[in-house]
Structures are given as structure tokens and as C-alpha cells.
Amino acid sequence: MDTENRTVPFECRRCWHVWEEDFIVLTETDRHGHDNEFWTLHGVRVPPPSAEASCVKCGCQQVTTFPSGYLSRHPEVVRQGEPVAPDASLLRSPAPPRPFYL
């Protein structure tokens, strides 16, 4: 039985969150010469990533995968950190306030 570590990049089609997961793939050749792959994640057997993946951020099940190593070749896809927090100060209009009539 052969063991291989595979890193699979994912992208959610709802919230556009991008992440990677590390899988261990066990390959076994049966008595007829066919190769069977068994995917494990954190020691638990799971279906292949393209079958039933869901977003780790929003839970959406419309997730796409990229080829292995895609994110290392395309760093623009991965966010470089958290977005900047909006300014907490009040917004003021440049126009003078209108008088209030009842």
C-alpha cells in the first residue's frame, strides 16, 4: 500500500473564501491490477475532495478545487491578511443641513 500526502486548494463559489486542506491518499492495488485510492483527512476516511466538499467559512456546498500547487503559482488568489476595519468616526455630509419643517 502506497501513501502520498496531497494538498488540495479549494474555493467557495458563494463567499469566495480560498483555503487548502492536507489529505493522505492510500493507494492499493487489488488482485485484478486495479488501483484503489482511499482519502483520509486527520486520520478519518473521507470521500475524494471534489465529491462532497463544503466551505469551512459559510458552509456552502458549491465548492471548486484547483490542481495541486495552484495557490503557490497564483499568490493573488490568497488574501494577504484580514481586511482593514472601517473607520468608526461618523460620516458627515459636505452639504449644509436643511431646515426641519413639520
Side-chain angles (χ1 to χ4, degrees), residues 18-73:
V18 176
W19 74 100
E20 291 181 331
E21 290 186 10
D22 296 320
F23 292 91
I24 297 175
V25 181
L26 306 170
T27 306
E28 182 179 61
T29 305
D30 64 7
R31 63 182 179 190
H32 302 289
H34 301 287
D35 289 336
N36 297 319
E37 288 186 342
F38 302 102
W39 292 72
T40 61
L41 179 65
H42 306 295
V44 177
R45 188 171 171 186
V46 294
S50 59
E52 296 182 19
S54 60
C55 179
V56 296
K57 187 174 181 183
C58 72
C60 180
Q61 293 183 343
Q62 293 182 352
V63 173
T64 186
T65 60
F66 298 111
S68 181
Y70 180 84
L71 294 180
S72 64
R73 293 187 306 270

Side-chain angles (χ1 to χ4, degrees), residues 72-87:
S72 64
R73 293 187 306 270
H74 297 278
E76 72 277 3
V77 176
V78 180
R79 279 193 271 166
Q80 297 299 324
E82 292 299 316
V84 178
D87 188 9

